[in-house]
Amino acid sequence: MKKTIELSRVRQGEHFTLDGVEWVKLDETHMGAFVVAADALPNNCPFESDDDREDANNFCGSHIAKEMERWLRDQHKPIFEATLERPIDLTTMDGMTDYGTPLAVARLLTIDDYRKYRRFIPLASRPFWLATGWTTKSSPYSSGYRAYCISTAGTVHNSNVCIAIFAPRPALYLKSSILVSIETEEEQKSIRDYTDTELMDELYRRRRASYDPD
């Protein structure tokens, strides 16, 4: 049975559907609801298509960031309109902070996101990119051409960003107030289906019903 509720009421780790796309809620923060697509997108693409770009593993301005934003704008406008622009930490695996924490709309999971929320993230049918680079050009023995990725078994790897053998897997901040669809087996209301006012009214009703002045 499908039910429509506010995203703020979806539990952590619970799946929901928005504009035909299945998502998993990872967290509820003051910045909005942080969610990840239940699966990677169908089409693989390179992290970066410009071989001459020195910071090719910088997610900001990358080919994959543009592809995901295009996917949202062109194919899923309701999702795009519900997406919030929030900072993304692009610290590389060796701790280099050259890429900073730019604002992003369409984004990928970082390696820290993946480790923090691993228990809630289902395995994907295709290997997918993360937003975290291996290192930057300013690091000794550096390479700005490798970024991290996740296999279908859930293991972490890194790859040349110009290779198109991994898929995007969007991880977005969405407005908590939007309505989404969830699957439920029970037709009865659960406690989360009631407002605070309704719960208080029911409590007072029960107290009045059980009141015995004698």
Side-chain angles (χ1 to χ4, degrees):
M1 176 183 175
K2 287 189 176 182
K3 181 167 56 176
T4 300
I5 62 173
E6 281 192 0
L7 180 53
S8 61
R9 295 166 61 195
V10 175
R11 294 185 294 252
Q12 189 177 39
E14 191 171 17
H15 291 228
F16 67 92
T17 303
L18 178 60
D19 195 38
V21 181
E22 186 179 355
W23 302 87
V24 182
K25 184 173 180 178
L26 301 180
D27 216 340
E28 181 75 32
T29 76
H30 69 282
M31 297 190 295
F34 186 42
V35 308
V36 67
D39 200 356
L41 298 186
N43 298 321
N44 294 342
C45 75
F47 189 102
E48 181 51 69
S49 57
D50 183 0
D51 294 344
D52 296 327
R53 184 182 174 190
E54 288 192 0
D55 62 339
N57 63 357
N58 184 353
F59 177 74
C60 184
S62 65
H63 173 78
I64 197 169
K66 295 172 184 174
E67 283 295 301
M68 285 196 300
E69 186 160 344
R70 189 177 297 114
W71 174 76
L72 286 172
R73 286 181 183 274
D74 297 347
Q75 299 183 41
H76 297 284
K77 190 175 180 180
I79 301 176
F80 179 75
E81 291 176 345
T83 303
L84 300 168
E85 187 178 51
R86 293 294 182 260
I88 181 170
D89 187 350
L90 297 181
T91 301
T92 56
M93 185 60 82
D94 63 343
M96 301 300 290
T97 59
D98 301 33
Y99 302 155
T101 54
L103 294 174
V105 176
R107 54 195 289 151
L108 302 172
L109 293 168
T110 66
I111 188 66
D112 290 334
D113 293 332
Y114 184 70
R115 288 183 294 191
K116 180 177 180 179
Y117 300 111
R118 173 74 184 268
R119 65 192 183 278
F120 301 123
I121 300 173
L123 296 178
S125 60
R126 290 166 296 284
F128 59 93
W129 289 107
L130 297 179
T132 303
W134 177 48
T135 185
T136 69
K137 295 293 287 184
S138 62
S139 179
Y141 305 105
S142 66
S143 171
Y145 289 91
R146 301 194 75 81
Y148 280 82
C149 47
I150 305 296
S151 73
T152 53
T155 53
V156 179
H157 303 272
N158 71 76
S159 176
N160 188 300
V161 294
C162 298
I163 298 175
I165 59 174
F166 304 99
R169 189 176 189 177
L172 311 175
Y173 277 95
L174 298 177
K175 298 174 183 176
S176 298
S177 59
I178 62 171
L179 296 177
V180 299
S181 177
I182 64 169
E183 289 285 345
T184 178
E185 296 179 358
E186 298 181 2
E187 295 191 11
Q188 279 188 325
K189 280 188 174 183
S190 66
I191 193 169
R192 66 178 183 166
D193 295 314
Y194 295 90
T195 66
D196 291 344
T197 301
E198 289 172 332
L199 291 171
M200 291 298 292
D201 288 345
E202 176 63 15
L203 178 60
Y204 289 139
R205 185 193 67 77
R206 294 187 185 189
R207 285 183 176 177
R208 288 193 298 269
S210 62
Y211 175 67
D212 185 355
D214 297 328

Coordinates of all heavy atoms in Angstrom, one line a residue, residues 70-145:
R70 N 21.9 18.1 -15.2 CA 21.1 18.0 -16.5 C 20.0 16.9 -16.3 O 18.9 17.1 -16.8 CB 22.0 17.7 -17.7 CG 21.4 17.8 -19.0 CD 22.3 17.5 -20.1 NE 23.4 18.5 -20.2 CZ 24.7 18.2 -19.9 NH1 25.1 17.0 -19.6 NH2 25.6 19.2 -20.0
W71 N 20.3 15.8 -15.7 CA 19.4 14.7 -15.5 C 18.2 15.3 -14.6 O 17.0 15.0 -14.9 CB 20.1 13.6 -14.8 CG 19.2 12.5 -14.3 CD1 18.6 11.5 -15.1 CD2 18.8 12.2 -13.0 NE1 17.8 10.7 -14.3 CE2 17.9 11.0 -13.0 CE3 19.0 12.8 -11.7 CZ2 17.4 10.5 -11.9 CZ3 18.5 12.2 -10.6 CH2 17.7 11.1 -10.7
L72 N 18.5 16.0 -13.6 CA 17.5 16.6 -12.7 C 16.6 17.6 -13.5 O 15.4 17.6 -13.4 CB 18.1 17.2 -11.5 CG 18.7 16.3 -10.4 CD1 19.4 17.1 -9.4 CD2 17.6 15.5 -9.7
R73 N 17.3 18.6 -14.1 CA 16.6 19.6 -14.8 C 15.7 19.1 -15.9 O 14.5 19.5 -16.1 CB 17.6 20.6 -15.4 CG 18.2 21.6 -14.4 CD 19.2 22.5 -15.1 NE 19.9 23.4 -14.2 CZ 19.5 24.5 -13.8 NH1 18.3 25.0 -14.1 NH2 20.2 25.3 -13.0
D74 N 16.2 18.2 -16.7 CA 15.5 17.8 -17.9 C 14.5 16.6 -17.7 O 13.5 16.6 -18.4 CB 16.5 17.3 -19.0 CG 17.4 18.5 -19.5 OD1 17.1 19.6 -19.1 OD2 18.4 18.2 -20.1
Q75 N 14.8 15.7 -16.8 CA 14.0 14.5 -16.6 C 13.2 14.5 -15.3 O 12.2 13.8 -15.3 CB 14.9 13.3 -16.7 CG 15.6 13.1 -18.0 CD 16.4 11.9 -18.1 OE1 16.0 10.8 -17.6 NE2 17.6 11.9 -18.6
H76 N 13.6 15.3 -14.3 CA 12.9 15.2 -13.0 C 12.8 16.6 -12.4 O 13.4 16.8 -11.3 CB 13.7 14.2 -12.1 CG 13.7 12.8 -12.6 ND1 12.6 12.0 -12.5 CD2 14.7 12.1 -13.2 CE1 12.9 10.8 -13.1 NE2 14.1 10.8 -13.5
K77 N 12.1 17.4 -13.0 CA 11.9 18.8 -12.6 C 11.4 18.9 -11.2 O 11.9 19.7 -10.4 CB 11.1 19.6 -13.5 CG 11.1 21.1 -13.3 CD 10.3 21.8 -14.3 CE 10.3 23.3 -14.0 NZ 9.5 24.1 -15.1
P78 N 10.4 18.1 -10.7 CA 9.9 18.2 -9.3 C 11.0 17.9 -8.3 O 11.1 18.5 -7.3 CB 8.8 17.1 -9.3 CG 8.3 17.0 -10.7 CD 9.6 17.2 -11.5
I79 N 12.0 17.0 -8.7 CA 13.1 16.7 -7.7 C 14.0 17.9 -7.7 O 14.5 18.3 -6.7 CB 13.8 15.4 -8.2 CG1 12.9 14.2 -8.1 CG2 15.0 15.1 -7.2 CD1 13.5 12.9 -8.6
F80 N 14.3 18.4 -8.9 CA 15.2 19.5 -9.0 C 14.7 20.7 -8.2 O 15.5 21.4 -7.5 CB 15.4 19.9 -10.5 CG 16.3 21.1 -10.7 CD1 17.7 21.0 -10.5 CD2 15.8 22.3 -11.0 CE1 18.5 22.1 -10.7 CE2 16.6 23.4 -11.1 CZ 18.0 23.3 -11.0
E81 N 13.4 21.0 -8.3 CA 12.8 22.1 -7.6 C 12.8 21.9 -6.1 O 12.7 22.9 -5.3 CB 11.4 22.4 -8.1 CG 11.4 22.9 -9.5 CD 10.0 23.0 -10.1 OE1 9.0 22.5 -9.5 OE2 9.8 23.7 -11.1
A82 N 12.9 20.6 -5.6 CA 12.9 20.3 -4.2 C 14.3 20.2 -3.7 O 14.5 20.1 -2.4 CB 12.2 19.0 -3.9
T83 N 15.3 20.3 -4.5 CA 16.7 20.1 -4.1 C 17.3 21.4 -3.6 O 17.1 22.5 -4.1 CB 17.6 19.7 -5.3 OG1 17.0 18.5 -5.8 CG2 19.0 19.4 -4.9
L84 N 18.1 21.3 -2.5 CA 18.7 22.5 -1.8 C 20.2 22.5 -2.2 O 20.8 21.5 -2.2 CB 18.5 22.3 -0.3 CG 17.0 22.3 0.2 CD1 17.0 21.9 1.6 CD2 16.4 23.6 0.0
E85 N 20.7 23.7 -2.3 CA 22.1 23.9 -2.6 C 22.8 24.0 -1.2 O 22.5 24.8 -0.4 CB 22.3 25.3 -3.3 CG 23.8 25.5 -3.7 CD 23.9 26.8 -4.5 OE1 23.5 27.8 -4.0 OE2 24.5 26.7 -5.6
R86 N 23.7 23.0 -1.0 CA 24.4 22.9 0.3 C 25.9 22.6 0.0 O 26.3 22.1 -1.0 CB 23.8 21.7 1.1 CG 22.4 22.0 1.5 CD 22.3 23.2 2.5 NE 21.0 23.4 3.1 CZ 20.2 24.4 2.6 NH1 20.6 25.2 1.6 NH2 19.0 24.6 3.2
P87 N 26.8 22.9 1.0 CA 28.2 22.7 0.8 C 28.5 21.2 0.7 O 27.8 20.3 1.3 CB 28.8 23.3 2.1 CG 27.8 24.2 2.7 CD 26.4 23.6 2.3
I88 N 29.5 20.9 0.0 CA 30.1 19.5 -0.1 C 31.5 19.5 0.2 O 32.3 20.4 -0.3 CB 29.8 18.9 -1.5 CG1 30.3 17.4 -1.5 CG2 30.3 19.7 -2.6 CD1 29.8 16.7 -2.8
D89 N 32.0 18.7 1.1 CA 33.4 18.7 1.5 C 34.2 17.8 0.5 O 34.0 16.6 0.5 CB 33.5 18.1 2.9 CG 34.9 18.1 3.5 OD1 35.8 18.5 2.8 OD2 35.1 17.8 4.7
L90 N 35.1 18.5 -0.2 CA 35.9 17.8 -1.2 C 37.3 17.5 -0.8 O 38.2 17.4 -1.6 CB 35.9 18.6 -2.5 CG 34.5 18.8 -3.2 CD1 34.6 19.6 -4.5 CD2 33.8 17.5 -3.4
T91 N 37.5 17.4 0.5 CA 38.8 16.9 1.0 C 39.2 15.6 0.4 O 38.4 14.7 0.4 CB 38.8 16.8 2.5 OG1 38.4 18.0 3.1 CG2 40.1 16.4 3.1
T92 N 40.4 15.5 -0.2 CA 40.8 14.3 -0.8 C 41.2 13.2 0.2 O 41.3 13.5 1.4 CB 42.0 14.5 -1.8 OG1 43.0 15.2 -1.1 CG2 41.6 15.5 -2.9
M93 N 41.4 12.0 -0.3 CA 41.7 10.9 0.6 C 42.9 11.1 1.5 O 43.0 10.7 2.6 CB 41.8 9.6 -0.2 CG 42.0 8.4 0.7 SD 40.5 8.1 1.8 CE 39.4 7.3 0.7
D94 N 43.9 11.9 1.0 CA 45.1 12.1 1.7 C 45.0 13.4 2.5 O 46.0 13.9 3.1 CB 46.3 12.2 0.8 CG 46.3 13.3 -0.2 OD1 45.2 13.8 -0.4 OD2 47.3 13.6 -0.8
G95 N 43.8 14.0 2.6 CA 43.6 15.1 3.5 C 43.9 16.5 2.9 O 43.9 17.5 3.6
M96 N 44.1 16.6 1.6 CA 44.3 17.8 0.9 C 43.0 18.6 0.8 O 42.0 18.0 0.4 CB 45.0 17.6 -0.5 CG 46.3 16.9 -0.4 SD 47.6 17.8 0.5 CE 47.9 19.2 -0.5
T97 N 43.0 19.9 1.1 CA 41.8 20.6 1.1 C 41.7 21.7 -0.1 O 41.0 22.7 0.0 CB 41.6 21.4 2.4 OG1 42.8 22.2 2.7 CG2 41.5 20.4 3.6
D98 N 42.5 21.5 -1.1 CA 42.6 22.4 -2.2 C 41.2 22.7 -2.8 O 40.9 23.8 -3.3 CB 43.5 21.8 -3.3 CG 44.9 21.5 -2.9 OD1 45.1 21.2 -1.7 OD2 45.8 21.7 -3.7
Y99 N 40.3 21.7 -2.9 CA 39.1 21.8 -3.6 C 38.0 22.5 -2.7 O 36.9 22.8 -3.2 CB 38.6 20.5 -4.1 CG 39.6 19.8 -5.1 CD1 39.6 18.5 -5.2 CD2 40.5 20.6 -5.8 CE1 40.4 17.8 -6.1 CE2 41.4 20.0 -6.7 CZ 41.4 18.6 -6.8 OH 42.2 18.0 -7.7
G100 N 38.3 22.6 -1.4 CA 37.4 23.3 -0.5 C 36.0 22.6 -0.2 O 35.9 21.4 -0.3
T101 N 35.0 23.5 0.1 CA 33.7 23.0 0.4 C 32.7 23.8 -0.4 O 32.0 24.6 0.2 CB 33.3 23.0 1.9 OG1 33.6 24.4 2.4 CG2 34.2 22.0 2.7
P102 N 32.7 23.7 -1.7 CA 31.8 24.5 -2.5 C 30.3 24.1 -2.4 O 30.0 23.0 -1.9 CB 32.3 24.2 -3.9 CG 32.8 22.8 -3.8 CD 33.4 22.7 -2.5
L103 N 29.5 25.0 -2.8 CA 28.0 24.7 -2.8 C 27.7 23.9 -4.0 O 28.3 24.0 -5.1 CB 27.2 26.0 -2.9 CG 27.3 27.0 -1.6 CD1 26.6 28.3 -1.9 CD2 26.7 26.3 -0.4
A104 N 26.8 22.9 -3.8 CA 26.4 22.0 -4.8 C 24.9 21.7 -4.8 O 24.4 21.7 -3.7 CB 27.2 20.7 -4.8
V105 N 24.3 21.6 -5.9 CA 22.9 21.1 -6.0 C 22.9 19.6 -6.2 O 22.5 18.8 -5.4 CB 22.2 21.9 -7.1 CG1 20.7 21.4 -7.2 CG2 22.1 23.4 -6.8
A106 N 23.3 19.2 -7.4 CA 23.4 17.8 -7.8 C 24.8 17.3 -7.3 O 25.8 18.0 -7.5 CB 23.3 17.6 -9.3
R107 N 24.8 16.3 -6.5 CA 26.0 15.9 -5.8 C 26.1 14.4 -5.8 O 25.1 13.6 -6.0 CB 26.1 16.5 -4.4 CG 24.9 16.2 -3.6 CD 24.8 17.0 -2.4 NE 25.8 16.7 -1.4 CZ 26.4 17.6 -0.5 NH1 26.0 18.8 -0.6 NH2 27.3 17.2 0.3
L108 N 27.3 13.9 -5.4 CA 27.5 12.5 -5.2 C 27.8 12.3 -3.7 O 28.1 13.3 -3.0 CB 28.8 11.9 -5.9 CG 28.8 12.1 -7.5 CD1 30.1 11.7 -8.0 CD2 27.7 11.2 -8.1
L109 N 27.8 11.1 -3.2 CA 28.3 10.8 -1.9 C 29.8 11.0 -1.8 O 30.5 10.8 -2.8 CB 28.0 9.3 -1.5 CG 26.6 8.9 -1.3 CD1 26.5 7.4 -1.2 CD2 26.0 9.5 -0.1
T110 N 30.3 11.6 -0.7 CA 31.7 11.6 -0.5 C 32.1 10.3 0.2 O 31.3 9.5 0.7 CB 32.1 12.8 0.4 OG1 31.6 12.6 1.7 CG2 31.6 14.1 -0.2
I111 N 33.4 10.0 0.4 CA 33.9 8.8 1.1 C 33.4 8.9 2.5 O 33.1 7.9 3.1 CB 35.4 8.7 0.9 CG1 35.8 7.3 1.5 CG2 36.2 9.8 1.6 CD1 35.4 6.1 0.8
D112 N 33.4 10.1 3.1 CA 33.0 10.2 4.5 C 31.5 9.9 4.6 O 31.0 9.3 5.6 CB 33.3 11.6 5.1 CG 34.8 11.8 5.3 OD1 35.5 10.7 5.5 OD2 35.2 12.9 5.2
D113 N 30.7 10.4 3.7 CA 29.2 10.1 3.6 C 29.0 8.6 3.6 O 28.2 8.0 4.3 CB 28.5 10.7 2.4 CG 28.5 12.2 2.5 OD1 28.5 12.8 3.6 OD2 28.5 12.8 1.4
Y114 N 29.8 7.9 2.7 CA 29.6 6.5 2.4 C 29.9 5.7 3.7 O 29.2 4.8 4.1 CB 30.5 6.0 1.3 CG 30.3 4.6 0.9 CD1 29.1 4.2 0.3 CD2 31.3 3.6 1.2 CE1 28.9 2.8 0.0 CE2 31.1 2.3 0.9 CZ 29.9 1.9 0.3 OH 29.7 0.6 -0.1
R115 N 31.0 6.1 4.4 CA 31.4 5.3 5.6 C 30.4 5.6 6.7 O 30.0 4.7 7.5 CB 32.8 5.7 6.0 CG 33.9 5.2 5.1 CD 35.2 5.5 5.6 NE 35.5 6.9 5.6 CZ 36.7 7.5 5.7 NH1 37.8 6.7 6.0 NH2 36.9 8.8 5.7
K116 N 29.9 6.8 6.8 CA 29.0 7.2 7.9 C 27.6 6.5 7.8 O 27.0 6.1 8.8 CB 28.8 8.7 7.9 CG 27.8 9.2 9.0 CD 27.8 10.7 9.0 CE 26.8 11.2 10.1 NZ 26.7 12.7 10.2
Y117 N 27.1 6.4 6.5 CA 25.8 5.9 6.3 C 25.8 4.5 5.6 O 24.7 4.1 5.2 CB 25.0 6.9 5.4 CG 24.8 8.3 6.1 CD1 25.5 9.4 5.5 CD2 24.1 8.5 7.2 CE1 25.4 10.7 6.1 CE2 23.9 9.8 7.7 CZ 24.6 10.8 7.2 OH 24.5 12.1 7.7
R118 N 26.9 3.9 5.6 CA 27.0 2.6 4.9 C 25.9 1.6 5.3 O 25.3 0.9 4.4 CB 28.3 1.9 5.3 CG 28.6 0.5 4.7 CD 28.8 0.5 3.2 NE 28.9 -0.8 2.7 CZ 30.0 -1.5 2.5 NH1 31.2 -0.9 2.9 NH2 30.0 -2.7 2.0
R119 N 25.5 1.6 6.5 CA 24.4 0.6 6.9 C 23.1 0.9 6.3 O 22.2 0.0 6.3 CB 24.3 0.5 8.5 CG 23.8 1.8 9.1 CD 24.0 1.8 10.6 NE 23.5 2.9 11.3 CZ 24.1 4.1 11.4 NH1 25.3 4.3 10.9 NH2 23.5 5.1 12.1
F120 N 22.9 2.1 5.8 CA 21.6 2.4 5.2 C 21.6 2.4 3.7 O 20.5 2.5 3.1 CB 21.1 3.8 5.6 CG 21.0 4.0 7.1 CD1 21.7 5.0 7.8 CD2 20.2 3.2 7.9 CE1 21.6 5.2 9.1 CE2 20.0 3.4 9.2 CZ 20.8 4.4 9.9
I121 N 22.8 2.3 3.1 CA 22.9 2.4 1.7 C 22.9 1.0 1.0 O 23.8 0.2 1.2 CB 24.3 3.1 1.3 CG1 24.3 4.5 1.9 CG2 24.4 3.2 -0.2 CD1 25.7 5.2 1.8
P122 N 21.8 0.7 0.2 CA 21.8 -0.6 -0.4 C 22.8 -0.7 -1.5 O 23.3 0.3 -2.1 CB 20.4 -0.6 -1.0 CG 20.0 0.8 -1.2 CD 20.7 1.6 -0.1
L123 N 23.2 -2.0 -1.8 CA 24.1 -2.2 -2.9 C 23.5 -1.8 -4.2 O 22.3 -1.8 -4.3 CB 24.5 -3.7 -2.9 CG 25.2 -4.3 -1.7 CD1 25.4 -5.8 -1.9 CD2 26.5 -3.6 -1.5
A124 N 24.3 -1.4 -5.1 CA 23.8 -0.9 -6.4 C 24.0 -1.9 -7.5 O 24.9 -2.8 -7.3 CB 24.5 0.4 -6.8
S125 N 23.2 -1.9 -8.5 CA 23.3 -2.8 -9.6 C 24.5 -2.5 -10.5 O 24.9 -3.3 -11.3 CB 22.0 -2.8 -10.4 OG 21.8 -1.5 -11.0
R126 N 25.1 -1.3 -10.4 CA 26.2 -0.9 -11.2 C 27.2 -0.2 -10.3 O 26.8 0.5 -9.3 CB 25.8 0.1 -12.3 CG 25.0 -0.5 -13.4 CD 24.4 0.5 -14.3 NE 23.4 1.3 -13.5 CZ 22.2 0.9 -13.2 NH1 21.8 -0.3 -13.5 NH2 21.4 1.7 -12.5
P127 N 28.5 -0.3 -10.5 CA 29.5 0.4 -9.7 C 29.3 1.9 -9.9 O 28.9 2.3 -11.0 CB 30.9 -0.1 -10.3 CG 30.6 -0.6 -11.6 CD 29.2 -1.1 -11.6
F128 N 29.6 2.7 -8.9 CA 29.3 4.1 -9.0 C 30.4 5.0 -8.4 O 31.2 4.5 -7.6 CB 28.0 4.5 -8.3 CG 27.9 4.1 -6.9 CD1 28.2 5.0 -5.9 CD2 27.5 2.8 -6.5 CE1 28.2 4.7 -4.5 CE2 27.4 2.5 -5.1 CZ 27.7 3.4 -4.1
W129 N 30.5 6.2 -8.9 CA 31.5 7.2 -8.5 C 31.1 7.8 -7.1 O 30.0 8.0 -6.7 CB 31.6 8.4 -9.4 CG 32.2 8.0 -10.8 CD1 31.5 7.9 -12.0 CD2 33.5 7.8 -11.1 NE1 32.4 7.7 -13.0 CE2 33.6 7.6 -12.5 CE3 34.7 7.8 -10.3 CZ2 34.9 7.4 -13.1 CZ3 35.9 7.6 -10.9 CH2 36.0 7.4 -12.3
L130 N 32.2 8.2 -6.4 CA 32.1 9.1 -5.2 C 32.7 10.4 -5.6 O 33.4 10.5 -6.6 CB 32.9 8.5 -4.0 CG 32.4 7.2 -3.4 CD1 33.3 6.8 -2.3 CD2 30.9 7.2 -3.0
A131 N 32.4 11.4 -4.8 CA 32.9 12.8 -5.1 C 34.3 13.0 -4.6 O 34.9 14.1 -4.9 CB 31.9 13.8 -4.5
T132 N 34.9 12.1 -3.9 CA 36.2 12.2 -3.3 C 37.3 11.9 -4.2 O 37.4 10.8 -4.7 CB 36.3 11.4 -2.0 OG1 35.2 11.8 -1.1 CG2 37.6 11.6 -1.3
G133 N 38.3 12.8 -4.3 CA 39.5 12.5 -5.1 C 40.5 11.8 -4.3 O 40.5 11.8 -3.1
W134 N 41.5 11.2 -5.0 CA 42.6 10.5 -4.3 C 43.5 11.5 -3.7 O 43.8 11.4 -2.5 CB 43.3 9.6 -5.4 CG 44.5 8.9 -4.8 CD1 44.5 8.2 -3.6 CD2 45.8 8.8 -5.4 NE1 45.8 7.7 -3.4 CE2 46.6 8.0 -4.5 CE3 46.4 9.3 -6.5 CZ2 47.9 7.7 -4.8 CZ3 47.7 9.0 -6.8 CH2 48.4 8.3 -5.9
T135 N 44.0 12.5 -4.5 CA 44.8 13.5 -4.0 C 44.8 14.7 -5.0 O 44.0 14.6 -5.9 CB 46.3 13.1 -3.7 OG1 47.0 14.1 -3.1 CG2 46.9 12.7 -5.0
T136 N 45.5 15.7 -4.8 CA 45.5 16.9 -5.7 C 46.9 17.0 -6.3 O 47.9 16.4 -5.8 CB 45.1 18.2 -4.9 OG1 46.2 18.5 -4.0 CG2 43.8 18.0 -4.2
K137 N 47.0 18.0 -7.2 CA 48.3 18.2 -7.8 C 49.4 18.8 -6.9 O 50.6 18.7 -7.1 CB 48.1 19.2 -9.0 CG 47.3 18.6 -10.2 CD 48.0 17.4 -10.9 CE 49.1 17.9 -11.7 NZ 49.8 16.8 -12.5
S138 N 48.9 19.4 -5.8 CA 49.9 20.1 -4.9 C 50.4 19.1 -3.9 O 51.3 19.4 -3.0 CB 49.2 21.2 -4.1 OG 48.1 20.7 -3.3
S139 N 50.0 17.8 -3.9 CA 50.5 16.8 -3.0 C 51.7 16.1 -3.6 O 51.7 15.9 -4.8 CB 49.4 15.8 -2.6 OG 49.9 14.8 -1.8
P140 N 52.8 15.8 -2.8 CA 53.9 15.0 -3.4 C 53.5 13.7 -4.0 O 52.6 13.1 -3.5 CB 54.8 14.8 -2.1 CG 54.4 15.9 -1.2 CD 52.9 16.1 -1.4
Y141 N 54.1 13.4 -5.1 CA 53.7 12.1 -5.8 C 52.2 12.1 -6.2 O 51.6 11.1 -6.0 CB 54.1 10.9 -5.0 CG 55.5 10.9 -4.6 CD1 55.9 11.1 -3.3 CD2 56.5 10.6 -5.5 CE1 57.2 11.1 -2.9 CE2 57.9 10.6 -5.2 CZ 58.2 10.8 -3.9 OH 59.5 10.8 -3.5
S142 N 51.8 13.3 -6.6 CA 50.3 13.5 -6.7 C 49.8 13.1 -8.0 O 50.5 12.9 -9.0 CB 50.0 15.0 -6.5 OG 50.5 15.7 -7.5
S143 N 48.5 12.9 -8.1 CA 47.7 12.7 -9.3 C 46.4 13.3 -9.1 O 45.6 12.9 -8.2 CB 47.6 11.3 -9.7 OG 46.8 11.1 -10.8
G144 N 46.0 14.2 -10.0 CA 44.6 14.8 -10.0 C 43.7 14.1 -10.9 O 42.7 14.6 -11.3
Y145 N 44.0 12.8 -11.2 CA 43.3 12.1 -12.2 C 42.6 10.8 -11.6 O 42.2 10.0 -12.4 CB 44.1 11.7 -13.4 CG 44.5 12.9 -14.3 CD1 45.6 13.7 -14.0 CD2 43.6 13.4 -15.3 CE1 45.9 14.8 -14.8 CE2 43.9 14.5 -16.0 CZ 45.1 15.2 -15.8 OH 45.4 16.3 -16.5

